[in-house]
Amino acid sequence: MSMVRVLVGTRKGAFVLTSDATRERWDISGPHFAGWEIYHVTSSPADPNRLYASQSSGWFGQQIQRSKDGGQTWEPVGSTFVYDGVLQDIRAYRPDNQC
């Protein structure tokens, strides 16, 4: 029988609900990231066990978490955005040349 999974994001964390195709009995995993607001939880179409969760906190800001095992363990996705090429001083783009 196939498995049914519902991914839930709340103001209190994320939850992963699983059941078989009959949906008579549900197993609940969570809360993951207790105390964090979770705006989105989704799975990868290429690998259903790869999950992504979008966390938000007024203190820490936003962060993306990733699970490779269906929500058993989570790791932060890097938030460093790097562009290839030469970095230039931001002052070159300001009309008054001050930062």
Side-chain angles (χ1 to χ4, degrees), residues 10-60:
T10 72
R11 291 176 43 194
K12 302 293 183 181
F15 298 85
V16 179
L17 294 79
T18 55
S19 180
D20 61 13
T22 64
R23 301 178 187 177
E24 291 179 5
R25 184 181 183 292
W26 290 86
D27 294 319
I28 301 173
S29 171
H32 303 281
F33 322 111
W36 284 76
E37 294 178 5
I38 306 297
Y39 289 113
H40 303 283
V41 184
T42 189
S43 63
S44 168
D47 180 3
N49 281 324
R50 179 164 293 208
L51 306 179
Y52 295 92
S54 170
Q55 295 177 287
S56 182
S57 162
W59 184 262
F60 296 108

Side-chain angles (χ1 to χ4, degrees), residues 35-93:
W36 284 76
E37 294 178 5
I38 306 297
Y39 289 113
H40 303 283
V41 184
T42 189
S43 63
S44 168
D47 180 3
N49 281 324
R50 179 164 293 208
L51 306 179
Y52 295 92
S54 170
Q55 295 177 287
S56 182
S57 162
W59 184 262
F60 296 108
Q62 294 183 336
Q63 185 174 11
I64 303 294
Q65 296 278 348
R66 173 180 52 211
S67 174
K68 298 177 183 177
D69 54 13
Q72 300 285 326
T73 59
W74 295 86
E75 62 185 5
V77 175
S79 61
T80 304
F81 296 101
V82 180
Y83 295 97
D84 291 337
V86 178
L87 296 178
Q88 297 181 1
D89 190 343
I90 193 169
R91 289 178 288 184
Y93 295 104

